[in-house]
Coordinates of all heavy atoms in Angstrom, one line a residue:
Chain B
T154 N -12.4 -24.0 16.7 CA -13.6 -24.1 15.7 C -13.2 -23.8 14.3 O -13.9 -24.1 13.4 CB -14.7 -23.1 16.1 OG1 -14.2 -21.8 16.1 CG2 -15.3 -23.4 17.5
L155 N -12.0 -23.2 14.1 CA -11.5 -22.9 12.7 C -10.7 -24.0 12.2 O -10.2 -24.0 11.1 CB -10.7 -21.6 12.7 CG -11.5 -20.4 13.2 CD1 -10.5 -19.2 13.3 CD2 -12.6 -20.0 12.3
Q156 N -10.4 -25.0 13.1 CA -9.5 -26.1 12.7 C -10.1 -27.5 12.7 O -9.4 -28.4 12.9 CB -8.2 -26.0 13.6 CG -7.5 -24.7 13.4 CD -6.2 -24.6 14.2 OE1 -5.3 -23.9 13.8 NE2 -6.2 -25.2 15.4
T157 N -11.4 -27.5 12.5 CA -12.1 -28.8 12.5 C -12.0 -29.6 11.2 O -12.2 -30.8 11.2 CB -13.6 -28.6 12.9 OG1 -14.1 -27.7 12.0 CG2 -13.8 -28.2 14.3
L158 N -11.7 -28.8 10.1 CA -11.6 -29.5 8.8 C -10.2 -29.8 8.4 O -9.3 -28.9 8.5 CB -12.2 -28.6 7.7 CG -13.8 -28.5 7.8 CD1 -14.2 -27.4 6.8 CD2 -14.4 -29.8 7.4
P159 N -9.9 -31.0 8.0 CA -8.5 -31.4 7.7 C -8.0 -30.7 6.4 O -6.8 -30.6 6.2 CB -8.5 -32.9 7.5 CG -9.9 -33.2 7.2 CD -10.8 -32.2 7.9
E160 N -9.0 -30.3 5.5 CA -8.6 -29.7 4.2 C -8.0 -28.3 4.3 O -7.4 -27.8 3.4 CB -9.7 -29.7 3.3 CG -10.3 -31.0 2.9 CD -11.7 -31.2 3.6 OE1 -11.7 -30.9 4.8 OE2 -12.6 -31.6 2.9
V161 N -8.3 -27.6 5.5 CA -7.8 -26.2 5.5 C -7.1 -26.0 6.9 O -7.4 -26.5 7.9 CB -9.0 -25.2 5.4 CG1 -9.4 -25.0 4.0 CG2 -10.1 -25.6 6.4
E162 N -6.0 -25.2 6.7 CA -5.2 -24.8 7.9 C -5.4 -23.4 8.2 O -5.2 -22.5 7.3 CB -3.7 -25.1 7.6 CG -2.8 -24.8 8.8 CD -1.3 -24.8 8.4 OE1 -1.0 -25.0 7.2 OE2 -0.5 -24.5 9.3
Y163 N -5.8 -23.1 9.4 CA -6.1 -21.7 9.8 C -4.7 -21.0 10.0 O -3.8 -21.5 10.6 CB -6.8 -21.6 11.1 CG -6.9 -20.2 11.7 CD1 -7.5 -19.2 11.0 CD2 -6.2 -19.9 12.8 CE1 -7.5 -17.9 11.5 CE2 -6.2 -18.6 13.4 CZ -6.9 -17.6 12.7 OH -6.9 -16.3 13.2
K164 N -4.6 -19.8 9.4 CA -3.3 -19.1 9.4 C -3.3 -17.8 10.2 O -2.4 -17.6 11.1 CB -2.9 -18.7 8.0 CG -2.4 -19.9 7.2 CD -1.0 -20.4 7.8 CE -0.3 -21.3 6.9 NZ 1.0 -21.7 7.4
R165 N -4.2 -16.9 10.0 CA -4.1 -15.6 10.7 C -5.4 -14.8 10.6 O -6.2 -15.1 9.8 CB -3.0 -14.7 10.2 CG -3.2 -14.2 8.8 CD -2.5 -12.9 8.5 NE -2.9 -12.4 7.2 CZ -2.1 -12.0 6.2 NH1 -0.8 -11.9 6.5 NH2 -2.6 -11.6 5.1
A166 N -5.5 -13.8 11.5 CA -6.7 -13.0 11.5 C -6.2 -11.5 11.3 O -5.2 -11.1 11.9 CB -7.5 -13.1 12.8
Q167 N -7.0 -10.7 10.6 CA -6.7 -9.3 10.4 C -8.0 -8.5 10.6 O -9.1 -8.9 10.1 CB -6.2 -9.0 9.1 CG -4.7 -9.5 8.8 CD -4.3 -9.2 7.4 OE1 -4.8 -9.6 6.4 NE2 -3.3 -8.4 7.3
V168 N -7.9 -7.3 11.1 CA -9.0 -6.3 11.1 C -8.8 -5.5 9.9 O -7.7 -4.9 9.7 CB -9.0 -5.4 12.3 CG1 -10.2 -4.5 12.3 CG2 -9.0 -6.3 13.6
L169 N -9.8 -5.4 9.0 CA -9.8 -4.5 7.9 C -10.9 -3.5 8.2 O -11.6 -3.5 9.2 CB -10.0 -5.2 6.6 CG -9.1 -6.4 6.3 CD1 -9.5 -7.2 5.1 CD2 -7.7 -5.9 6.2
S170 N -11.2 -2.6 7.2 CA -12.2 -1.6 7.4 C -12.9 -1.3 6.1 O -12.2 -1.2 5.1 CB -11.5 -0.3 8.0 OG -12.4 0.8 7.8
F171 N -14.2 -1.2 6.1 CA -14.9 -0.9 4.9 C -15.9 0.2 5.2 O -16.8 0.1 6.1 CB -15.7 -2.1 4.4 CG -16.5 -1.8 3.1 CD1 -15.8 -1.6 1.9 CD2 -17.8 -1.6 3.2 CE1 -16.5 -1.3 0.8 CE2 -18.6 -1.3 2.1 CZ -17.9 -1.2 0.9
N172 N -15.7 1.4 4.6 CA -16.6 2.6 4.8 C -16.6 2.8 6.3 O -17.7 3.1 6.9 CB -18.0 2.4 4.3 CG -18.1 2.7 2.8 OD1 -17.1 3.3 2.3 ND2 -19.1 2.3 2.2
G173 N -15.5 2.7 7.0 CA -15.5 3.0 8.4 C -16.0 1.9 9.3 O -16.0 2.1 10.6
R174 N -16.4 0.8 8.7 CA -16.9 -0.3 9.6 C -15.9 -1.4 9.6 O -15.2 -1.7 8.6 CB -18.2 -0.9 9.0 CG -19.4 0.1 9.1 CD -20.7 -0.6 8.6 NE -20.6 -1.0 7.2 CZ -21.3 -2.0 6.7 NH1 -22.2 -2.7 7.4 NH2 -21.2 -2.3 5.4
A175 N -15.7 -2.0 10.8 CA -14.7 -3.0 11.0 C -15.2 -4.3 10.2 O -16.4 -4.6 10.1 CB -14.6 -3.4 12.4
L176 N -14.2 -4.9 9.6 CA -14.4 -6.1 8.7 C -13.3 -7.0 9.1 O -12.1 -6.5 9.1 CB -14.3 -5.7 7.3 CG -14.1 -6.7 6.2 CD1 -15.3 -7.6 6.0 CD2 -13.8 -6.0 4.8
I177 N -13.5 -8.2 9.4 CA -12.4 -9.1 9.8 C -12.2 -10.1 8.7 O -13.1 -10.6 8.1 CB -12.6 -9.7 11.2 CG1 -13.7 -10.8 11.2 CG2 -12.8 -8.7 12.3 CD1 -13.6 -11.7 12.5
Q178 N -10.9 -10.5 8.6 CA -10.5 -11.5 7.6 C -9.8 -12.6 8.3 O -8.8 -12.4 9.0 CB -9.6 -10.9 6.6 CG -9.2 -11.8 5.5 CD -7.8 -11.6 4.9 OE1 -6.9 -11.4 5.7 NE2 -7.7 -11.5 3.6
L179 N -10.3 -13.8 8.3 CA -9.6 -15.0 8.8 C -9.0 -15.8 7.6 O -9.8 -16.2 6.7 CB -10.6 -15.9 9.6 CG -11.4 -15.1 10.6 CD1 -12.3 -16.1 11.4 CD2 -10.6 -14.3 11.6
A180 N -7.7 -16.0 7.6 CA -7.1 -16.5 6.4 C -6.7 -18.0 6.6 O -6.2 -18.3 7.7 CB -5.9 -15.7 6.0
F181 N -6.9 -18.8 5.6 CA -6.6 -20.2 5.6 C -5.8 -20.6 4.4 O -5.8 -19.9 3.4 CB -7.9 -21.0 5.6 CG -8.8 -20.7 6.7 CD1 -9.7 -19.6 6.6 CD2 -8.9 -21.6 7.8 CE1 -10.6 -19.3 7.6 CE2 -9.8 -21.3 8.8 CZ -10.7 -20.2 8.8

Side-chain angles (χ1 to χ4, degrees):
Chain B
T154 58
L155 301 174
Q156 295 183 152
T157 52
L158 288 169
E160 300 107 312
V161 282
E162 181 191 359
Y163 169 67
K164 284 293 192 179
R165 70 153 183 226
Q167 287 181 298
V168 182
L169 308 173
S170 163
F171 179 75
N172 278 348
R174 291 187 299 156
L176 160 68
I177 69 166
Q178 182 214 46
L179 312 181
F181 302 80

